[in-house]
Amino acid sequence: MSAAQVPAPSPAEGRILFAGTPATAVPSLDALVAAGFTVAAVLTRPDAPVGRKKVLTPSPVAARAAELGLPVLHASRLTGEPGRETLERIAALELDAAAVVAYGALVPAAGLALPRLGWVNLHFSLLPAYRGAAPVQHAVIQQETQTGACVFQLEEGLDTGPVFSRIVRDLAPGETAGDVLAELALSGADLLSRTLTDLLAGDATAEPQRGEPTFAPKLDQADGFIDPARPAAEVAARINGTTPEPGAWAWLDDPTAPVRVKLAGAVAEEAPGAAAGAAPGDLVRDRRTVHLQCADSAVRLVQVQPAGKKPMNAADWARGLPAGARFRSAEEETP
């Protein structure tokens, strides 16, 4: 039989590498194992300090791989001498393909060439929109009405490769980035499995990305600051877009010094009648809700976490506040 007549491997015969790190990548690993792929190894980032005591902890993908009995390769990057050693180990696996879901490091050209069919990446946006590390968070912050997920061929550029498949998901006001990402992690896992099956069978076709790209760099703590002097829709979108990571927060006025509180979830809506005359930053409370007055309207807060305490219902938190409690704007003096 000639090489051209050799049948394409089935999922069970195809040897793949899975590269991923956070919890959102775990459903994809599970889906590939359930579909019958031979996962020759799992590539993930090294154990990292977690919690106040900074205990070294395996990544969620590493922990799941151990439960599944899969070999694990740890690497923080695939360049330099440590990266070269990791690539040598990957080359020895004789892979048909590699699948990536939020691994957290770039794959150099030398690595891209190792699997017979290259690397495919599950990305949580409708490419070329929101290339980068935090696509769902930025989509929510920018008040997009739709997002989705794409499986594309990995290239040296940042999320630039041609797209094999995609799914579209509507975004509803009030949804947090965490909720959306958790759902896309599940639907995207199925998309990745089906695309990889087609790729091994020779039935997958990738099309170049079309349109003007936008970018979604990693968010840091400063991106979660909530400024009540901004319009309500913008404030609600930033709270939801930074929930749970990197976390939304605000400065609560205090007689001695402002106190930092964390926020999770918000809905842009008019405050009750007690809001008459309220200024940006004022907290308008009734028996069941607490609203933050913004530049043009208000947002209803869903959950608040006071410093050093556990998250709690926002209305319950507000009952313990003194009269006149408010959040400071960006223009006011803060620590």
Side-chain angles (χ1 to χ4, degrees), residues 227-307:
D227 182 1
R230 305 298 302 172
E234 181 182 321
V235 170
R238 183 160 294 276
I239 293 174
N240 292 325
T242 55
T243 297
E245 295 293 339
W249 57 278
W251 288 117
L252 177 68
D253 254 342
D254 185 87
T256 55
V259 177
R260 183 168 170 155
V261 295
K262 296 181 180 180
L263 311 173
V267 179
E269 64 180 28
E270 290 288 347
D282 289 351
L283 293 168
V284 182
R285 293 166 278 176
D286 62 15
R287 290 187 302 173
R288 297 181 179 179
T289 64
V290 56
H291 287 73
L292 170 63
Q293 183 65 34
C294 301
D296 56 350
S297 182
V299 299
R300 173 168 52 83
L301 303 179
V302 175
Q303 196 175 65
V304 176
Q305 182 177 359

Side-chain angles (χ1 to χ4, degrees), residues 149-314:
C150 290
V151 176
F152 70 95
Q153 188 85 48
L154 202 63
E155 300 178 338
E156 285 190 83
L158 177 64
D159 302 333
T160 58
V163 175
F164 289 107
S165 56
R166 66 177 62 211
I167 52 176
V168 179
R169 182 195 187 281
D170 290 339
L171 285 173
E175 287 190 297
T176 68
D179 292 339
V180 176
L181 192 53
E183 186 178 310
L184 285 177
L186 295 175
S187 55
D190 179 67
L191 183 72
L192 177 64
S193 178
R194 288 188 283 110
T195 303
L196 205 51
T197 298
D198 290 343
L199 185 65
L200 287 173
D203 295 331
T205 301
E207 297 184 355
Q209 297 180 26
R210 294 183 176 86
E212 190 69 24
T214 55
F215 297 92
K218 183 178 179 179
L219 299 172
D220 61 24
Q221 195 175 71
D223 293 305
F225 172 68
I226 301 306
D227 182 1
R230 305 298 302 172
E234 181 182 321
V235 170
R238 183 160 294 276
I239 293 174
N240 292 325
T242 55
T243 297
E245 295 293 339
W249 57 278
W251 288 117
L252 177 68
D253 254 342
D254 185 87
T256 55
V259 177
R260 183 168 170 155
V261 295
K262 296 181 180 180
L263 311 173
V267 179
E269 64 180 28
E270 290 288 347
D282 289 351
L283 293 168
V284 182
R285 293 166 278 176
D286 62 15
R287 290 187 302 173
R288 297 181 179 179
T289 64
V290 56
H291 287 73
L292 170 63
Q293 183 65 34
C294 301
D296 56 350
S297 182
V299 299
R300 173 168 52 83
L301 303 179
V302 175
Q303 196 175 65
V304 176
Q305 182 177 359
K309 297 183 179 180
K310 294 182 178 180
M312 59 192 301
N313 176 277

Side-chain angles (χ1 to χ4, degrees), residues 131 146 199 220 275 319-320:
R131 295 173 178 172
Q146 281 189 331
L199 185 65
D220 61 24
R319 291 191 187 98

Side-chain angles (χ1 to χ4, degrees), residues 8-34:
S10 68
E13 296 170 337
R15 288 175 60 80
I16 68 168
L17 172 77
F18 181 80
T21 298
T24 50
V26 171
S28 288
L29 176 59
D30 285 340
L32 296 179
V33 171

